[in-house]
Amino acid sequence: MTDELVLYTNPMSRGRIARWMLEEVGVPYRAEILHFGTTMKDDAYKAVNPMGKVPAIVHDGKVVTECAAICAYLADAFPEAGLAPPPAERADYYRWLFFGAGPVEASVSNKALGFEVAPDRERMIGYGSFAHVMDTLEKAVQANPYIAGDKFTAADVYVGAQIGWGMQFGTMEKRPAFQQYFARVANRKAAIRANEKDDAAMAEMQHVG
């Protein structure tokens, strides 16, 4: 099938974001579970993603990597799912989707690795400071029911997953605004289905291992 949709993932990775987005879209797809350090680094998969990282999707012969790009691509490829605002109303959608992919991702990763930006060097790094990013994100999730307004979009999949993991693993404070926002998005049927499928895949991997 030329229009086949394949997800390359691992249930202990950011691939969970792509799985959630696929469940929101609601179209058939096939999941290929890859293993760190082995099949993820094989030549066969590196022909898909030379980085040897997941997730990646292949749709109609086209490869998309990077979680934010996957979310945006799927929202546009399947407009009937209603996961992207009309083009004229996408300012907040693009703003917060890529705020998540840039400042949030970078600042949280650096914090998890123990890297702190010196106050006199904040101008040299795109996100400035971790505290500033968290305060900005808090204001964003308080402004509306969803990150880009009154309606759930693909940006909520990406930002919501980041907030959920951040609170779970202690790289983000459990601020009330974060908890309330995440509760709204994590209770969606697609999010629950995605978690169930990834949890089952993880259990199968552990059983085989």
Side-chain angles (χ1 to χ4, degrees):
M1 294 177 58
T2 58
D3 60 348
E4 184 181 29
L5 181 50
V6 183
L7 167 66
Y8 294 92
T9 187
N10 181 291
M12 293 181 286
S13 76
R14 290 171 177 82
R16 282 183 172 255
I17 301 175
R19 169 90 78 173
W20 179 5
M21 184 63 192
L22 283 163
E23 291 296 325
E24 291 284 354
V25 168
V27 297
Y29 66 93
R30 174 167 57 87
E32 292 285 344
I33 306 299
L34 303 179
H35 297 261
F36 295 106
T38 56
T39 51
M40 210 176 289
K41 301 299 183 182
D42 283 352
D43 289 342
Y45 179 62
K46 289 177 78 173
V48 175
N49 184 2
M51 290 287 288
K53 285 182 167 289
V54 292
I57 64 167
V58 177
H59 176 233
D60 194 18
K62 299 181 289 288
V63 176
V64 186
T65 65
E66 316 315 316
C67 288
I70 290 170
C71 289
Y73 173 85
L74 289 172
D76 285 345
F78 302 98
E80 63 275 11
L83 293 167
E89 300 172 15
R90 289 189 182 182
D92 285 342
Y93 171 75
Y94 286 136
R95 178 186 182 183
W96 297 115
L97 179 61
F98 292 106
F99 182 79
V104 175
E105 172 75 19
S107 65
V108 170
S109 295
N110 282 342
K111 184 178 188 295
L113 293 169
F115 175 75
E116 297 277 345
V117 180
D120 62 343
R121 297 295 182 91
E122 289 179 3
R123 289 183 299 174
M124 297 177 62
I125 195 160
Y127 64 80
S129 72
F130 176 80
H132 193 192
V133 172
M134 291 299 104
D135 290 345
T136 301
L137 184 61
E138 181 179 34
K139 290 177 183 177
V141 300
Q142 286 176 322
N144 296 290
Y146 297 104
I147 195 69
D150 294 330
K151 187 178 179 183
F152 181 91
T153 68
D156 292 293
V157 174
Y158 189 71
V159 174
Q162 287 184 307
I163 289 175
W165 286 341
M167 293 192 299
Q168 179 182 354
F169 295 113
T171 53
M172 286 188 189
E173 298 172 359
K174 292 182 178 179
R175 300 185 184 187
F178 292 162
Q179 292 175 312
Q180 292 162 12
Y181 169 73
F182 183 65
R184 281 195 295 277
V185 299
N187 285 327
R188 292 178 61 83
K189 292 180 180 179
I192 293 169
R193 284 197 308 272
N195 277 327
E196 288 174 346
K197 291 180 179 182
D198 275 323
D199 289 346
M202 187 157 52
E204 179 63 22
M205 288 173 60
Q206 292 170 345
H207 175 73
V208 172

